[in-house]
Amino acid sequence: MDANKRQRYEKISAELTRLSGGRENIQGVAHCATRLRIVLKDNDLADLKRMEDVDLAKGVFVAGDQVQIIFGAGLVNDVYEVFAESNNMKNMSLSDLKTVANQKMNPLQRVIKALSDVFVDIMPGILAAALLTGISGVLGNLDFVKESETLFSINTLINIASGAIFGFLPLAVAYSACKRFGGRPILGIVMGCIMLSGSLTDAYAAAQGTAEVTTLHIFGLGVKLVGFQGGIIVALLMGFVTAKLDNFFEKKVPEVIRLLVSPLLTTLVGALLLFTVIGPVGRGLSTGITNALVWMTQNLGVFGYAVFSGLQQLVVITGLHHIFGAIEAQLLADTGRNFLNPLMSVAIIAQGGAVLGYLVRHKKSTKTRELCIPSFVSVMFGITEPALFGINLRYKFPIIGGCIGGALGGIVVYFTDLAAVGFGTTVVPGIALADPAGGGYINYVIAHAAALAGGFIMTLVLGKFMDKLPDAPDEKKEIKEAKENEAAFGADDKNGEVRETAEEEVFYAHAKGQLIPMEEVKDETFAGRVLGDGVAVIPEEGKVYAPADGTILSVFDTKHAVCFASAQGTEILIHIGVDTVNLQGKFFTAHVKDGDKVKQGQLLIEFDREQIEKAGYDTAIPMIFTDMPEGNILEKTAPGGIDSGKVAGILKRG
């Protein structure tokens, strides 16, 4: 991670720590594909509303007693790394986090959450298989591919690759389930190998009656030697059982023979249970789930489709939507067609339509555009968290409009008999999975267009009744706050030189030394104003002072930086030196702590300037205005010698 990003993430981490109720309130932290997940001792101490305004955060919610902050794919990994490190939780395992969170869940929540975790872990492989299946399907219908020996051969290899991944999916599920439930993952792989052993009759051939099945008799109980191809539910159950057996024998077998005997007993007992109990039970559950879904399509008809696609995104709000992966996989294994995938896909694009509807109603708002446009782009690739938590759920009426649009898309899916030949991807890339039979690709586009339009139009309609359009009221509120601030800060300053009003806010030098413009700081992040505009001081002494009256928001663990909010609410980051985070607090002494009220000129941090310079670090101290609204101007004092009693800059509100 480069220094520019790290410094930005450090500020985000400090803000999240403060808004979480402080380090002492944080029990654990982990992340999934898009969300930073934090377990708190007391959720009531967290300010979830203000978390939504943290830099780069797209939404905040609580699910399974975890505070989950949406950052998006890729970004969340970097934010997690810095946040975990700053809170001394770098080595905390995901299992530890889940144990803490699970203590606050009811039994049903724990089961569903565990199933979700299993499929999150293997989702990259599922996505690869799904996309390869779609690509192979598209290429296989093109005449020029069939006529070209090379292209036909390449498509054949693609088909083999996708088929292999799906063919061995039970093995992957058994591995992930065993790992999730605390067993050694290799034993999950071993059990998956047994399930798909070549010594067993292929399950599909046995179902079609084209292969002979051998039956063994154990204590009078008939055991059919049939493989578990497509046995996703069985694999889930076996992963769980294998993990529990592994833990049991690891505790009971004497240490002197544990290495040999424990895995032997786990595999032996697990295999016996697979063929005598788990296999039959799992097959029964699989058949029941498939039959229930098929019954829904045959008996509830268009109503069943509409209800599912209309409400599916509400499941995403809980963070438990990955459970559908097991159902889709089983549906494909049993019927060869997956009608749930297009239903979920239209539900997703409908929420994108709701985002566009909200954007149209607030098109003059720069902040709304910055939030809505990236969220809609994410929706196009099947990721709805930014849209759901950043916009639709926050403002309520768009989520309703999106659900209605999803139901409309489900109706189109029903009447066009649209289905998928894989699972794991939706919306734009999901078209590759559409079953081409009966004009499937065209029907896919029509269904999504209907859902998008439905979500868009219904959000506009509902907005007329439910949207308060807060722009005008906000202006009145700002005028009121400005008058209050003017009354509070209208007196002359201590030198009688400057008068602070609601329109102007004075900030004094935060250190004694040479005042320089930000572009002269020897760091791209500061010089390029990535974190915001400001001024910097090359210090003559190792002391940092408060630039105004205000509150300490956060002092970094390494004491090299402090976040500060003035009495008028302006947030500032004071960063001592460049890359000094690497010193891990050496040479720094903090004289304030999080939440302290301070006066202008009060000593905040002392540091050993000479030792830091000897260690090879630049000691320039930027003071960055991190939340300066658009239109505001920072008038800076001319470069030169300065001390903490002199004005460094005046913030003028536009």
Side-chain angles (χ1 to χ4, degrees):
M1 187 188 306
D2 61 45
N4 296 352
K5 289 183 178 179
R6 184 175 184 88
Q7 289 166 356
R8 189 175 188 181
Y9 299 155
E10 284 176 350
K11 180 177 182 297
I12 291 172
S13 297
E15 278 288 281
L16 288 178
T17 299
R18 179 176 62 85
L19 296 174
S20 295
R23 296 184 188 89
E24 63 279 1
N25 194 42
I26 299 175
Q27 288 186 287
V29 59
H31 72 92
C32 60
T34 59
R35 314 171 190 187
L36 183 70
R37 299 166 178 254
I38 306 173
V39 175
L40 304 178
K41 293 179 182 177
D42 186 352
N43 287 354
D44 292 337
L45 297 179
D47 191 340
L48 301 182
K49 187 67 177 176
R50 291 192 65 186
M51 277 187 185
E52 295 178 349
D53 298 324
V54 168
D55 185 25
L56 299 179
K58 298 178 176 65
V60 178
F61 68 105
V62 177
D65 233 28
Q66 294 179 14
V67 175
Q68 301 188 10
I69 303 112
I70 311 299
F71 283 104
L75 173 62
V76 69
N77 300 66
D78 293 336
V79 174
Y80 162 77
E81 181 180 344
V82 176
F83 182 83
E85 184 177 293
S86 65
N87 285 283
N88 299 318
M89 293 182 178
K90 190 71 175 176
N91 296 322
M92 174 169 281
S93 69
L94 186 59
S95 177
D96 292 337
L97 179 79
K98 290 168 182 172
T99 299
V100 173
N102 285 350
Q103 292 172 354
K104 302 180 180 181
M105 295 184 186
N106 61 47
L108 179 60
Q109 288 176 321
R110 294 180 187 178
V111 171
I112 297 176
K113 181 66 173 64
L115 293 179
S116 300
D117 293 336
V118 169
F119 281 88
V120 167
D121 211 23
I122 61 175
M123 190 54 69
I126 294 173
L127 287 173
L131 290 174
L132 287 173
T133 300
I135 291 170
S136 177
V138 172
L139 294 178
N141 289 314
L142 299 176
D143 291 335
F144 73 87
V145 173
K146 298 176 182 178
E147 295 168 0
S148 170
E149 182 178 2
T150 298
L151 293 178
F152 178 80
S153 299
I154 291 174
N155 189 44
T156 300
L157 293 177
I158 293 174
N159 188 48
I160 291 172
S162 63
I165 297 172
F166 276 125
F168 285 90
L169 187 57
L171 186 152
V173 172
Y175 152 79
S176 185
C178 185
K179 177 182 176 182
R180 166 60 183 85
F181 292 110
R184 284 175 285 186
I186 185 59
L187 294 179
I189 293 177
V190 169
M191 202 55 61
C193 291
I194 295 172
M195 291 175 61
L196 302 176
S197 171
S199 299
L200 302 174
T201 303
D202 183 271
Y204 299 121
Q208 295 169 4
T210 59
E212 184 177 347
V213 178
T214 301
T215 301
L216 301 179
H217 296 277
I218 301 177
F219 300 115
L221 178 67
V223 177
K224 294 183 178 181
L225 299 183
V226 179
F228 295 90
Q229 289 79 10
I232 309 302
I233 303 300
V234 177
L236 281 168
L237 294 173
M238 280 311 304
F240 172 80
V241 170
T242 302
K244 298 307 177 185
L245 288 173
D246 184 31
N247 290 332
F248 175 79
F249 289 122
E250 279 292 292
K251 293 177 181 177
K252 299 299 182 181
V253 175
E255 186 175 356
V256 67
I257 58 172
R258 184 179 300 159
L259 180 62
L260 294 175
V261 176
S262 176
L264 167 67
L265 293 176
T266 297
T267 303
L268 176 60
V269 176
L272 290 173
L273 291 174
L274 170 65
F275 290 104
T276 58
V277 180
I278 306 300
V281 170
R283 282 194 172 113
L285 287 173
S286 302
T287 301
I289 291 172
T290 302
N291 290 342
L293 291 171
V294 172
W295 180 90
M296 182 187 81
T297 63
Q298 294 176 343
N299 294 276
L300 299 182
V302 66
F303 176 76
Y305 274 64
V307 169
F308 183 91
S309 58
L311 301 180
Q312 189 270 340
Q313 281 295 291
L314 299 183
V315 179
V316 175
I317 295 172
T318 69
L320 305 177
H321 51 295
H322 295 293
I323 192 175
F324 288 120
I327 299 173
E328 289 183 277
Q330 197 64 60
L331 192 63
L332 275 170
D334 292 343
T335 68
R337 298 182 89 237
N338 174 15
F339 66 89
L340 292 183
N341 180 269
L343 287 178
M344 290 189 287
S345 191
V346 295
I348 289 170
I349 194 66
Q351 295 299 327
V355 168
L356 294 181
Y358 185 83
L359 175 61
V360 168
R361 284 192 57 79
H362 297 265
K363 56 182 178 293
K364 294 182 179 180
S365 169
T366 301
K367 184 175 181 180
T368 298
R369 290 197 300 271
E370 291 175 349
L371 187 60
C372 288
I373 293 174
S375 296
F376 180 74
V377 172
S378 294
V379 166
M380 297 300 288
F381 290 91
I383 300 173
T384 52
E385 281 90 346
L388 283 175
F389 301 110
I391 303 156
N392 297 357
L393 198 60
R394 180 187 296 185
Y395 301 110
K396 298 180 178 61
F397 71 93
I399 189 77
I400 300 173
C403 288
I404 295 174
L408 179 61
I411 292 172
V412 177
V413 170
Y414 173 80
F415 283 113
T416 58
D417 193 28
L418 183 62
V421 294
F423 73 102
T425 188
T426 50
V427 196
V428 172
I431 192 172
L433 301 184
D435 186 347
Y441 299 133
I442 295 176
N443 292 334
Y444 189 92
V445 173
I446 293 173
H448 284 71
L452 178 70
F456 175 76
I457 294 171
M458 289 309 303
T459 299
L460 289 178
V461 172
L462 291 170
K464 291 184 178 295
F465 304 98
M466 301 175 66
D467 192 2
K468 297 179 181 179
L469 286 176
D471 295 344
D474 278 355
E475 291 177 4
K476 294 179 180 179
K477 181 180 179 181
E478 288 176 5
I479 292 173
K480 179 182 178 182
E481 290 178 348
K483 290 180 178 179
E484 292 174 351
N485 288 335
E486 184 173 2
F489 296 95
D492 290 344
D493 78 343
K494 61 182 180 182
N495 296 320
E497 298 172 352
V498 182
R499 183 179 179 84
E500 291 188 81
T501 69
E503 289 76 32
E504 294 184 359
E505 189 175 2
V506 173
F507 292 88
Y508 297 89
H510 51 293
K512 181 180 180 180
Q514 187 74 15
L515 189 69
I516 62 172
M518 286 289 286
E519 54 266 28
E520 293 185 14
V521 178
K522 297 174 183 178
D523 180 87
E524 292 181 4
T525 299
F526 299 131
R529 297 180 175 83
V530 173
L531 302 180
D533 199 3
V535 295
V537 173
I538 298 176
E540 294 178 358
E541 61 179 12
K543 294 181 179 181
V544 172
Y545 304 93
D549 294 349
T551 304
I552 300 300
L553 299 180
S554 176
V555 178
F556 283 62
D557 276 348
T558 49
K559 304 179 184 65
H560 75 291
V562 58
C563 295
F564 169 86
S566 72
Q568 292 193 38
T570 302
E571 294 190 7
I572 298 169
L573 171 65
I574 299 175
H575 197 285
I576 305 171
V578 176
D579 291 334
T580 47
V581 63
N582 298 325
L583 293 172
Q584 295 296 308
K586 189 178 181 181
F587 308 131
F588 294 91
T589 302
H591 293 278
V592 291
K593 62 182 183 302
D594 297 3
D596 281 358
K597 301 290 184 182
V598 297
K599 293 292 184 180
Q600 186 273 319
Q602 182 174 334
L603 181 62
L604 304 182
I605 295 177
E606 282 189 282
F607 60 97
D608 192 327
R609 181 174 62 89
E610 293 182 358
Q611 291 297 326
I612 293 174
E613 289 176 347
K614 285 182 181 179
Y617 294 94
D618 190 317
T619 55
I621 309 174
M623 177 170 68
I624 308 149
F625 292 75
T626 57
D627 69 340
M628 194 160 66
E630 186 176 346
N632 286 9
I633 299 174
L634 179 64
E635 290 189 354
K636 307 160 194 174
T637 299
I642 198 167
D643 62 38
S644 60
K646 299 292 184 179
V647 175
I650 301 175
L651 181 65
K652 294 193 173 183
R653 293 182 169 82

